[in-house]
């Protein structure tokens, strides 16, 4: 650091020169914080997204570095939200990358007192078998003498936090299976 | 709104900065109240009385927008002589059948309409058969027929009704309305709601001063308005008021439902709901020998866009069953399972307890905390053979068998529970592509940023591959039962290491294509002959020209204030529904200030800032020929194009199960008598199916025992948490910001019951007992109701036993008593007791509830009366 820059870095001088007479703005910035860069500055890409919490639909910018989400911020271009996020939306980095998220399939046997970890593929097979069995076990061709062609054995609940495309497949699959007890948070 | 939709609230603040007046109506003083011009605390559960009082003010003082009302509403229509009001019958409308607890709406009809011919299987006509089919009619009503008209009105008989444009005929709807609300005076409002007359007068004046040609007023409600045994009628009351004031279809007007989940609107449009198919097409009800034609005949309308229902339905069946759906087999209409009454989530719980429902999927929902009577939800799950929970973390609905409250009380023992539980880790929104539909019907696409970790998968992946596996396992089956699943079109392309289905391919199917496979641009292109495919007719156009319109992101600063090039809104990218009403009958804006769309005489087209919600070339002076049907049959002054008559309905002749007009009824459990009618509660509310020892209801009003539950509780959300907490209680930041379940009480109530700030309180209802920290605060205003000082208890409902922040669940207190139209539970107003200190542990917890039940004389009959 040369003498000239040493003098120029003198906070009192910067207070006066940078029209920050009370030293509450940029003049108070230390050398260390001056060299800090936002996490988003080094991101490899920015992916456009939408906040997953309430139904306002705030725009989100998802910052990705080396294949990992490193930060999520409000999208200033959104006419809905103009870059703002609420406490929940601002915490969505923790939602998506936090330690409380589970990454393994867990299975609880009948009457067991603990979980066990099972492979995804095995779980999918077991669930498919159970759907087929319960569907058949509670199948009705008729109710009170009228054709109903349905099963009362299977129910689903959920959908308001899901994508439209996901809800579309859920309704399509379970309707084709003959299930009618298909519901979501619209009532809750 | 500032608490639960803070980012949306910035626009309210923008309006306020430009001079708008902000009125906040809420039992609690919140961050919204802090920024409002007036805060109006009222007794929870009394909004119909409050809004009805404003309607009465508007009608008595001639403050309605007369030209709008005469031209665009059914106010001039004359009713038949058969109609009798709640004012005549002490709280019920004509047509009430006490035996079946339902209404026959034949007496609610317009005069001059032709009686429908007895063809087909019209639901209404069952009533014409001398009551033999009453059971079935009740079942159809139960199935939520009103809800099936979510994007438009119900069918009305054909013909033109008699009208009186002077609005003076004693039986015209305007006069009926005037008489109906005449007793909703400021005094009544004060007695019922606890709102001082001076405050009420201020509200009425502000509202009417800010409505009319030059000004508009908007209503915003959170879905707490819907969570009552009269929820639909709450919204109806607001709709009547806004229509009288001319505030619908105009900029700055409307009634905005501030919904609480990212795609809750989408999950109603493309429903995961028992009584709907995509685009608000009704699920068929069980009738003998019903064909597609008789189904369409019964459900479609003659005028308006619902007249084309066959095209929507056939295109959906083509999307489901593809080439297998042919005209010869009724497009596989028989493949659709049939309803026999209500099969809502609450009936499903009862079916689980009865051992009928064996398997349950929970897609990102936590009923063990979030649904009414959460204990019953847990007991229902404990009766299942198997349960699949798809979520981020081990939420209470996945772990109740291990650490649920009933394990602690000894009511359940882990080793006795036979339910198999699968926990499937879910992908986050950053790990999958797809669209959410926000609360203004705006579809916005979120792109995939990264791949999901470990075994975490999207619900799209799970559902697609589950279907694929089931189809593989059933392949070759000759059982007729398996035809619908084997004939299903289920061939979505997958991509990447995880074989993730292509969400855009699903969107393309939702949008639909023509016989050449070209994406459709509008639902007006849909055909009823099977030549078009469309998974959700109201979303048709979202993939117009093969472009994902929901992914459009032209920056806000580069387009007009309507921002039509950001995302895509259904229908047809219209941002304000029914915006034809923003212009006068001649097609000119009511005022320059409030111009939105208008008739361009030179080009003979509708033009404007928004996409006109009207046939683009239909002149305001167009009048349909007598033989016209469908959209053609709507005249140039029929802005409400989804309604069967193109008009806004002040009075609903058909489509609602609990009356053509809103009337004030007390909540299911209330410490007060109904001040207006002998009829205490909504006579057709849904309670009977939920008779169960763990769902006991309470004595109300002056019934003996009601004094044990003297306070009114209301549940609500906090800024820092989301619904049942599955997406917030596992986040360190949010858990720290709101670390504990608490109740809000006034200093006066605290003194009355000996509650200490930051101490513990025990809240009791006939269902259960919970403990919470006490927040003594002036934010809760004691009110004077029917001359009595009354107190309310605020209960945020986010907590359960798991996560970084734990606590009892407010929904353990709430009961299952539902709105009869849409099966939504009453959790926003219920009577309770509150005592200082912590609740009992172990078996003593249930014993405390039992002692209250004994002292209050509660039996299985309590609260079940009509």
């Amino acid at each position: 650091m040369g003498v000239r820059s040493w003098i120029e870095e003198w906070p009192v001088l910067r207070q006066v020169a940078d029209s920050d007479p009370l030293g509450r703005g940029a003049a108070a910035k230390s050398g260390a914080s001056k060299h800090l860069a936002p996490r988003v500055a080094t991101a490899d890409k920015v992916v456009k997204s939408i906040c997953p919490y309430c139904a306002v639909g705030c725009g989100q910018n998802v910052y990705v570095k080396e294949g990992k989400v490193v930060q999520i911020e409000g999208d200033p271009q959104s006419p809905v939200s103009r870059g703002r996020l609420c406490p929940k939306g601002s915490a969505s980095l923790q939602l998506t990358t936090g330690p409380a998220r589970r990454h393994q399939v867990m299975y609880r046997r009948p009457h067991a007192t603990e979980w066990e970890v099972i492979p995804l593929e095995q779980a999918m097979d077991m669930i498919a078998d159970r759907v087929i069995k319960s569907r058949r076990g509670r199948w009705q061709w008729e109710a009170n003498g009228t054709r109903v062609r349905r099963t009362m054995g299977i129910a689903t609940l959920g959908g308001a936090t899901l994508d439209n495309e996901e809800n579309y497949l859920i309704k399509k699959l379970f309707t084709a299976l003959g299930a009618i007890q298909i519901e979501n948070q619209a009532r809750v | 709104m500032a608490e639960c939709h803070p980012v949306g609230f910035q626009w309210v603040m923008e309006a306020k900065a430009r001079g708008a007046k902000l009125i906040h109506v809420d039992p609690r003083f919140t961050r919204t109240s802090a920024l409002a011009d007036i805060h109006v605390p009222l007794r929870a559960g009394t909004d119909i009385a409050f809004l009805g009082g404003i309607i009465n003010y508007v009608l008595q003082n001639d403050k309605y927008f007369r030209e709008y009302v005469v031209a665009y509403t059914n106010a001039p229509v004359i009713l038949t002589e058969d109609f009798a009001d709640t004012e005549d019958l002490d709280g019920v409308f004509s047509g009430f059948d006490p035996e079946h607890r339902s209404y026959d709406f034949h007496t609610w009809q317009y005069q001059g309409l032709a009686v429908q011919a007895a063809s087909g299987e019209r639901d209404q006509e069952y009533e014409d058969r001398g009551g033999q089919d009453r059971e079935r009619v009740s079942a159809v009503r139960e199935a939520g027929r009103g809800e099936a008209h979510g994007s438009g009105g119900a069918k009305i008989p054909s013909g033109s009704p008699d009208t009186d444009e002077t609005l003076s005929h004693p039986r015209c709807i305007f006069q009926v309305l005037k008489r109906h609300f005449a007793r909703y005076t400021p005094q009544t409002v004060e007695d019922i709601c606890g709102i001082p007359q001076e405050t009420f007068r201020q509200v009425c004046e502000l509202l009417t001063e800010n409505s009319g040609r030059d000004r508009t007023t908007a209503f915003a409600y959170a879905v707490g308005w819907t969570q009552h045994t009269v929820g639909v009628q709450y919204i109806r009351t607001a709709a009547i008021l806004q229509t009288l004031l001319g505030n619908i279809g105009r900029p700055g007007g409307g009634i905005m439902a501030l919904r609480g989940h990212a795609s809750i609107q989408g999950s109603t449009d493309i429903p995961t709901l028992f009584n709907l198919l995509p685009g608000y097409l009704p699920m068929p009800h069980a009738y003998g020998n019903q064909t597609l034609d008789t189904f369409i005949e019964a459900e479609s309308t003659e005028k308006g866009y619902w007249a084309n229902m066959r095209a929507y339905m056939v295109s959906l069946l083509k999307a489901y069953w593809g080439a297998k759906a042919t005209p010869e087999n009724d497009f596989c209409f028989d493949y659709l399972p049939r309803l026999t009454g209500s099969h809502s989530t609450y009936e499903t719980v009862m079916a689980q307890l009865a051992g009928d429902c064996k398997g349950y999927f929970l897609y990102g929902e936590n009923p063990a905390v979030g649904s009414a009577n959460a204990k019953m939800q847990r007991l229902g799950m404990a009766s299942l053979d198997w349960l699949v929970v798809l979520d981020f973390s081990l939420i209470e609905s996945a772990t109740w068998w291990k650490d649920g409250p009933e394990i602690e009380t000894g009511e359940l023992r882990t080793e006795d529970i036979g339910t198999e539980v699968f926990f499937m880790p879910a992908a986050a929104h950053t790990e999958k592509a797809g669209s959410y539909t926000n609360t203004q019907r705006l579809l916005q696409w979120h792109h995939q940023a990264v791949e999901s970790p470990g075994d975490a998968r999207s619900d799209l992946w799970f559902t697609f591959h589950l279907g694929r596996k089931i189809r593989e396992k059933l392949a070759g089956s000759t059982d007729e039962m398996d035809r619908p699943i084997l004939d299903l079109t289920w061939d979505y392309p997958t991509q990447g290491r995880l074989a993730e289905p292509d969400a855009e391919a699903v969107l393309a199917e939702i949008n639909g294509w023509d016989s050449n496979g070209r994406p459709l641009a509008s639902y007006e292109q849909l055909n009823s002959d099977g030549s078009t495919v469309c998974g959700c007719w109201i979303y048709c156009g979202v993939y117009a020209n093969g472009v994902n319109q929901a992914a459009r992101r032209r920056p806000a600063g580069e387009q007009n204030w309507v921002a039509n090039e950001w995302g895509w809104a259904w229908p047809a990218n219209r941002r304000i529904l029914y915006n034809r009403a923003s212009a006068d009958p001649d097609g000119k804006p009511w005022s320059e200030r409030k111009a939105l769309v208008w008739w361009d005489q030179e080009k003979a087209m509708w033009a404007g800032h928004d996409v006109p919600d009207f046939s683009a070339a239909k002149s305001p002076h167009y009048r349909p020929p007598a033989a016209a049907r469908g959209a053609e049959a709507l005249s140039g002054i029929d802005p409400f194009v989804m309604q069967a008559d193109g008009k806004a309905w002040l009075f609903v002749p058909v489509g609602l199960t609990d009356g053509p007009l809103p009337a004030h009824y007390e909540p299911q459990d209330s410490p007060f008598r109904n001040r207006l009618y002998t009829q205490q509660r909504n006579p057709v509310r849904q309670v009977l199916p939920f008779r169960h020892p763990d769902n006991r209801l309470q004595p109300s009003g002056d019934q003996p025992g009601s004094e044990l539950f003297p306070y009114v509780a209301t549940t609500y959300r906090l800024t820092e948490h989301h619904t049942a907490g599955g997406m917030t209680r596992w986040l360190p930041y949010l858990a720290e910001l709101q670390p504990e379940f608490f109740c809000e009480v006034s200093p006066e109530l605290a003194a009355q019951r000996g509650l200490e700030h930051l101490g513990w309180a025990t809240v009791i209802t006939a269902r259960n007992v919970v403990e919470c920290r006490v927040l003594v605060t002036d934010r809760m205003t004691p009110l004077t109701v029917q001359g009595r000082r009354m107190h309310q208890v605020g209960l945020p409902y986010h907590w359960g036993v798991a996560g970084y922040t734990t606590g009892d669940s407010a929904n353990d207190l709430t009961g299952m008593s539902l709105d009869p139209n849409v099966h939504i539970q009453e959790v926003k107003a219920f009577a309770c007791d509150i005592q200082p200190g912590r609740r009992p542990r172990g078996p003593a917890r249930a014993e405390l509830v039992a002692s209250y039940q004994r002292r209050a004389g509660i039996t299985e009959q309590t609260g079940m009366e009509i």
Side-chain angles (χ1 to χ4, degrees), chain B residues 48-257:
Chain B
I48 291 176
F50 170 67
L51 295 166
I54 305 175
I55 292 172
N56 187 40
Y57 173 89
V58 167
L59 294 173
Q60 298 298 332
N61 297 289
D62 289 340
K63 299 283 189 186
Y64 55 96
F65 191 163
R66 191 175 177 96
E67 289 156 280
Y68 182 103
V69 167
V70 171
Y72 298 158
T73 78
N74 65 357
V77 175
I78 295 167
L79 299 179
T80 65
E81 286 177 16
D82 303 332
F83 174 67
D85 191 38
T86 46
E87 299 299 296
D88 312 317
L89 303 176
D90 199 16
V92 296
F93 296 95
S94 53
F96 180 59
D97 170 4
E99 195 193 334
H100 296 93
R101 296 196 178 196
S102 70
Y103 278 107
D104 166 353
F105 36 72
H106 273 68
T107 59
W108 309 347
Q109 294 302 313
Y110 297 166
Q111 180 170 298
L113 292 187
V115 175
Q116 279 182 305
S119 64
E121 298 272 355
R122 282 187 196 122
D123 293 344
Q124 291 176 39
E125 282 163 10
Y126 279 93
E127 287 155 68
D128 293 337
R129 299 182 187 175
Q132 315 159 14
D133 284 301
R134 292 299 310 196
E135 304 290 345
R136 183 169 288 176
V137 171
S138 302
V140 173
R141 298 289 174 69
E142 270 176 33
R145 271 305 191 257
E147 197 174 10
H149 305 289
S151 78
K155 187 189 187 91
I156 50 174
S158 55
S160 296
D162 298 346
T163 58
D164 172 19
E165 300 211 339
T166 67
L167 305 182
S168 54
H169 188 287
R171 288 199 320 277
C172 82
I173 284 170
F174 184 81
Q175 294 297 333
V176 168
L177 206 61
K178 212 166 175 173
R179 288 195 297 275
H180 178 77
F181 287 108
R183 287 197 301 137
Y184 290 67
T185 60
Q187 180 67 52
T188 308
V189 171
E190 181 168 32
D191 280 355
I192 294 176
C193 313
I195 300 169
Q197 295 189 38
E198 173 54 24
T199 312
F200 180 67
R201 189 188 54 77
Q202 254 185 301
V203 171
C204 292
E205 284 173 4
L206 274 179
L207 210 57
T208 49
E209 279 164 17
N210 288 288
S211 303
R213 271 182 186 273
D214 290 311
R215 308 191 76 84
T216 50
T217 293
F219 273 66
Y221 70 92
V223 289
W225 247 9
T226 67
Q227 294 172 350
H228 296 274
T229 44
V230 284
V232 166
Q233 297 287 2
Y234 266 40
I235 320 301
R236 278 280 307 141
T237 324
I240 292 169
L241 179 57
Q242 284 292 70
T243 307
L244 285 171
L245 294 172
N247 283 328
I248 303 285
R250 302 180 60 206
I255 302 169
M256 262 75 73

Side-chain angles (χ1 to χ4, degrees), chain B residues 554-567:
Chain B
R554 187 163 173 201
E558 296 174 19
Q559 49 177 328
N560 78 0
W561 56 274
V562 177
N564 264 321
E565 292 171 65
W566 183 278

Side-chain angles (χ1 to χ4, degrees), chain A residues 88 107 121 130 187-188, chain B residues 227 420 469 719 822 825:
Chain A
K88 294 186 287 289
Y107 174 62
E121 192 58 26
R130 278 146 189 77
R187 305 192 203 281
V188 186
Chain B
Q227 294 172 350
E420 276 182 296
K469 273 186 187 292
T719 311
V822 291
Q825 68 289 337

Side-chain angles (χ1 to χ4, degrees), chain A residues 53 55 88 101 107-108 111 121 130 134-135 149-150 157 163 165 168 171-172 182 187-188, chain B residues 227 262 273 276 338 386 415 419-420 431 435 439 446 469 480-482 509 719 727 822 825:
Chain A
Y53 285 99
K88 294 186 287 289
R101 248 186 94 181
Y107 174 62
R108 186 253 176 182
H111 310 291
E121 192 58 26
R130 278 146 189 77
S134 299
R135 170 179 179 260
R149 187 174 201 146
R150 69 185 184 191
L157 182 64
D163 297 339
E165 294 73 21
Y168 181 78
K171 183 73 182 184
K172 184 174 176 178
I182 302 169
R187 305 192 203 281
V188 186
Chain B
Q227 294 172 350
L273 293 172
L276 296 178
R338 299 311 205 247
W386 50 271
E415 293 81 354
T419 313
E420 276 182 296
E431 294 155 6
S435 63
T439 199
H446 58 88
K469 273 186 187 292
E480 177 61 21
M481 178 195 298
D482 297 328
E509 179 176 315
T719 311
M727 289 166 70
V822 291
Q825 68 289 337

Side-chain angles (χ1 to χ4, degrees), chain B residues 563-859:
Chain B
N564 264 321
E565 292 171 65
W566 183 278
W568 185 88
W570 72 264
N573 202 28
R574 293 156 185 161
R575 303 301 166 113
I576 295 183
L577 277 182
Y578 302 132
N579 59 27
R580 160 69 182 91
S582 70
D584 68 14
D586 290 334
K588 295 190 195 69
W590 289 106
S591 70
E592 276 316 304
R593 271 189 96 229
K594 290 289 171 185
L596 186 64
V597 302
W598 50 86
W599 176 249
D600 185 330
Q601 190 65 48
E602 238 164 69
K603 293 186 184 144
M605 292 284 279
W606 285 90
H609 306 302
D610 195 2
V611 178
D613 189 7
F614 208 59
S615 293
K618 183 182 280 182
S619 154
H621 306 292
Y622 169 80
R623 297 294 177 271
R629 65 181 299 284
E632 299 276 290
L634 295 177
S635 83
I637 53 163
D638 289 337
F640 296 89
V641 293
M642 290 292 170
Q643 298 283 93
D645 58 0
K647 303 296 185 196
W649 288 359
L650 295 165
F651 177 98
V652 177
V654 59
L656 289 174
T657 57
D658 57 353
L661 290 170
H664 168 72
Y665 297 114
E666 286 293 323
Q668 174 63 44
D669 292 341
S670 169
F672 295 94
R673 279 283 314 150
N674 190 342
R675 154 93 162 61
L676 280 167
Y677 314 105
T678 306
Q679 180 61 41
Q680 170 79 3
R681 310 179 180 94
N682 183 348
V684 299
R685 74 196 181 282
Q686 228 189 332
V687 282
L688 295 180
F690 310 111
R691 203 191 293 267
H692 188 275
D694 287 303
N695 192 47
R696 288 290 174 246
L697 305 174
Q698 296 166 189
S700 277
D702 44 21
Q703 291 177 324
S706 70
E707 70 283 355
L708 284 165
F709 306 101
Y711 307 115
V712 173
T714 186
T715 63
Y716 61 94
R717 292 194 196 179
L718 302 167
T719 311
E720 298 79 6
H721 283 297
H722 187 243
T723 64
M727 289 166 70
T728 54
R729 281 186 283 116
W730 279 262
L731 275 57
Y733 291 158
L734 299 174
E736 192 177 334
L737 285 167
Q738 288 290 3
E740 216 158 355
F741 176 37
F742 62 89
C743 62
E744 287 188 52
V745 295
S746 69
E748 211 176 295
L749 172 56
Q752 202 175 88
R753 276 292 194 248
L755 304 167
E756 278 176 39
H757 186 57
L758 302 182
W760 291 91
T762 296
V763 186
I764 308 113
T765 67
R767 271 77 61 186
N768 213 329
V769 42
V770 301
E771 65 180 18
C772 46
R773 291 285 186 173
V774 179
L775 176 64
V776 180
T777 169
D778 289 331
R779 301 195 302 191
M780 298 304 287
T781 313
L783 303 172
T784 304
V785 171
Q786 295 181 17
R788 227 161 86 195
R789 196 75 167 156
M790 65 87 55
H791 298 281
Q792 309 198 73
V793 179
L795 296 166
Y797 72 93
H798 305 293
W799 278 273
V801 297
Y804 290 129
T805 160
T806 61
D808 283 356
S809 304
N811 274 314
D812 279 2
L813 299 172
T814 56
M816 293 192 268
S817 51
L818 317 184
D819 176 286
N821 292 289
V822 291
H823 318 291
I824 294 182
Q825 68 289 337
E826 186 159 73
V827 294
K828 287 297 173 273
F830 56 95
C832 69
D833 190 19
I834 185 166
Q835 295 287 347
R838 306 193 70 161
R839 66 164 163 78
R841 278 9 204 199
R845 182 177 182 179
E847 180 43 42
L848 179 61
V849 179
S851 78
Y852 265 81
Q853 290 181 355
R854 276 195 303 274
R855 285 159 59 209
I858 291 171
T859 69

Side-chain angles (χ1 to χ4, degrees), chain B residues 466-594:
Chain B
L466 177 66
R468 186 179 56 75
K469 273 186 187 292
I470 291 170
R471 283 158 53 89
E472 279 168 16
K473 286 174 191 281
L474 294 176
S477 163
T478 52
D479 193 329
E480 177 61 21
M481 178 195 298
D482 297 328
R483 290 280 26 112
I485 183 69
L486 292 176
D487 288 348
L488 196 68
T489 60
W490 201 255
D491 49 2
Y492 303 99
T494 60
Q495 51 202 13
R497 187 175 56 87
L498 306 181
E500 174 75 12
D502 179 2
E504 219 170 90
V506 180
L507 185 74
E509 179 176 315
I510 291 169
N511 177 85
W513 51 77
D514 66 14
S515 53
N516 294 316
R518 280 186 304 244
L520 297 166
S522 159
Y523 57 76
E524 294 183 316
Q525 298 168 332
L526 295 175
N527 297 324
S528 57
D529 61 1
S531 59
T532 51
V533 167
C534 177
C536 180
W537 70 279
I538 56 175
Y539 280 20
C540 188
V542 69
Y543 204 67
N545 305 317
V547 173
N548 183 344
Q549 306 287 336
R552 297 183 308 161
R553 277 187 167 77
R554 187 163 173 201
E558 296 174 19
Q559 49 177 328
N560 78 0
W561 56 274
V562 177
N564 264 321
E565 292 171 65
W566 183 278
W568 185 88
W570 72 264
N573 202 28
R574 293 156 185 161
R575 303 301 166 113
I576 295 183
L577 277 182
Y578 302 132
N579 59 27
R580 160 69 182 91
S582 70
D584 68 14
D586 290 334
K588 295 190 195 69
W590 289 106
S591 70
E592 276 316 304
R593 271 189 96 229
K594 290 289 171 185

